[in-house]
Amino acid sequence: MTAEKMSLAKALNESLRKSLETDPKVLVMGEDVGKLGGVFRITDGLQKDFGEDRVIDTPLAESGIVGTAIGLALRGYRPVVEIQFDGFVFPAYDQIVTQLAKMHARALGKVKMPVVVRIPYGGGIGAVEHHSESPEALFAHVAGLKVVSPSNASDGYWMLQQAIQSDDPVIFFEPKRRYWDKAEVDTEAIPDPLHAARVARTGTDLTLAAYGPMVKVCLEAAAAAQEEGKSVEVIDLRSMSPIDFDAVQRSVEKTGRLVVVHEAPVFYGSGAEIAARITERCFYHLEAPVLRVGGFHAPYPPARVEEEYLPGLDRVLDAVDRSLAY
Amino acid sequence: MTVESTAASKPRRSSKRVSAVAEKGAAASAEQGVAASPAKAAAKRAAARKSAARPQQAGQRGEQAGRQAEPELVQLLTPEGERVEHPDYDVDLSTEELRGLYRDMVLTRRFDSEATALQRQGELGLWASLLGQEAAQIGSGRALRDDDYVFPTYREHGVAWCRGVDPTNLLGMFRGVNHGGWDPNSNNFHLYTIVIGSQTLHATGYAMGVAKDGADSAVIAYFGDGASSQGDVAEAFTFSAVYNAPVVFFCQNNQWAISEPTERQTRVPLYQRARGFGFPGIRVDGNDVLACLAVTRSALERARRGEGPTLVEAFTYRMGAHTTSDDPTRYRHDDERQAWEAKDPILRLRRFLEAQGHADEAFFTALDEESDVLAKRVREAVRAMPDPDDMSMFDHVYADGHALVDEERAEFAAYQASFADASQEGK
């Protein structure tokens, strides 16, 4: 085993490096990804080692970044594009939704779209407007796209390489407030499939399902609940499209209770989808309605109050208590 | 303050259509110093548009509006069918090649008119006619090499013809049996793109890939005057320029984006946009197949030499409606169309062929017969086009599969099968 402790940011950097080394068709593109190494330094040193032809600084034009990536994919390349922040993806939303997602179907399968769109997302870093959003549901709703989010360095390392190897377009949401969290990364392990959920902690009384930045909060909540004598299982979904409902179902059939946690607004969010499907699948196993904890139907608030908007330990534990009270 | 900005600052009327005409009228009347009624304004506008199409008369209007004078078009064949010289562009074609261009245009027009008829007969849900744009498409399409790559809009039936795409393949999306359906790589002809201007970025990215591969092929992106207003087109210009991508932007300025005239898209001649991005732009007579061939060939060669993008503005006219759902009588005058009919691309080449003795009556008769055969084949192919299988909606959503799609496919299959079971039970 060649495990090494590294931050999520470093793991993603290593993952891109490995992909660039392995496949000459892989390209990294985006604003400031070259000399600067990206505003979060995820692409640090890559242009130096792979050249401006492989690690491409682009004009400040998100639609152009994704649109040209589509053209490069049609030519046989595998572009990995970086959108600098979540709220800046919307100028590219048209290209992603009307073109990238549909090209394979439009060509009756004759062309593939191996494009990865990396988006640092979510709040908790005290940023200004448009720098803290969680738009994953907007992408998961679109057929033709796959949507994933690692919660830790190991998944960051493996899931990004898997996303790059996929022949489908993958929207790769990186939880920016976890960039500096370190974890063991075994670079020779056999990774889980890209879209498989993972049991992050086992328990018997209730299931918490989360992904990306909220997995850590849920693990903390489960540990706190343990001190009160409650056994909480935590599922790291890892993929929002597709969702590994089988894994969630297995857990809920055991625990009888489910709380879904995400930073994005609850209204029309991924929690709604999970609640509906799990209710269908597990109706006779459920001891309580599926509850959701997430953001409000309001613009992401100014940094000084974002901790009130974001689901924290107390709000998650409150939902655990409400579920167990049924 | 310019005349146009004065007009633009006037308050809007409640009706959009009246407002559009009135603003135009205000601009025209300010030039002439008279009050304008909407009807008079429309007539003046039509007159102004006609003069805009004649470069030699357009200077005064252009200067008054704060623009540069309307430029000369690159032209090698006049509307009367006379061959003229141009200092920078020329083509040297054999009689057979000239006849080939004529044949391409005639067959494309016949295919197009057959498709329009099929829509009227209810066989197609929609059709976007290219009537009037044959020279722009055949001229540019015949400038391409086999290894060049084409990114069309949804109206490039003539370019598809040049690429050897079976015309019946183009009809699937208009009949509603697919959203494209052909393999773009089999003829280096990408799928029709309906969202305006998106494909200019795909072309640019593809061209960036061509350059990376060290290949000497070129890429051409088709779009219209309306698309020139889209951000994606501006971004494609930016990307292609800064990466020196071997791409030719071929804008067919057919004067109308549904009901919006070119004046609603730009205040400078479209070809001049290129200069601000750092590459050349050229305006060509889009109804002159020889000029379109010469100018496109030159732009493609420039791209192949590694000198980057070129914008070609083919100044032409959409003689028909935007699509079969459109009613151009609501926004433009017959006299405008009649003025452009005098510049018909097919007629002018025929005049030239006849004057030069390149083609006799037998040639034209044989071509008419060939057109009839093509039309019949297209008609029969459309009528024989099968509806897709119900379950095919789940095909090709993803290349690597998707659990939800698999689940929904199985559910729907079971649902469909339940009807078969029920009909069995009834027997």
Side-chain angles (χ1 to χ4, degrees), chain A residues 112-188:
Chain A
K112 295 185 168 121
M113 277 289 118
V115 176
V116 176
V117 182
R118 291 181 40 240
I119 309 176
Y121 84 121
I125 64 163
V128 295
E129 194 184 16
H130 312 305
H131 288 67
S132 302
E133 298 175 8
S134 298
E136 63 271 16
L138 298 175
F139 294 90
H141 194 63
V142 178
L145 302 177
K146 289 177 174 174
V147 183
V148 302
S149 178
S151 68
N152 59 73
S154 178
D155 276 351
Y157 180 79
W158 286 113
M159 288 170 69
L160 183 52
Q161 289 178 69
Q162 291 168 318
I164 293 167
Q165 285 156 16
S166 170
D167 282 332
D168 288 313
V170 180
I171 313 299
F172 194 89
F173 280 105
E174 299 172 3
K176 65 172 87 81
R177 67 161 142 160
R178 305 292 174 225
Y179 272 149
W180 303 282
D181 290 0
K182 289 189 173 179
E184 291 273 309
V185 178
D186 180 353
T187 55
E188 288 178 11

Side-chain angles (χ1 to χ4, degrees), chain B residues 232-255:
Chain B
D232 275 5
V233 172
E235 294 189 22
F237 288 178
T238 296
F239 274 68
S240 64
V242 301
Y243 295 121
N244 207 41
V247 58
V248 175
F249 296 105
F250 194 90
C251 177
Q252 288 170 86
N253 177 358
N254 68 11
Q255 314 300 325

Side-chain angles (χ1 to χ4, degrees), chain A residues 296-318:
Chain A
F296 305 112
H297 194 56
Y300 192 88
R304 292 285 183 166
V305 290
E306 70 177 334
E307 290 305 330
E308 307 308 316
Y309 173 94
L310 293 166
L313 196 57
D314 289 341
R315 276 173 60 198
V316 175
L317 286 171
D318 179 62

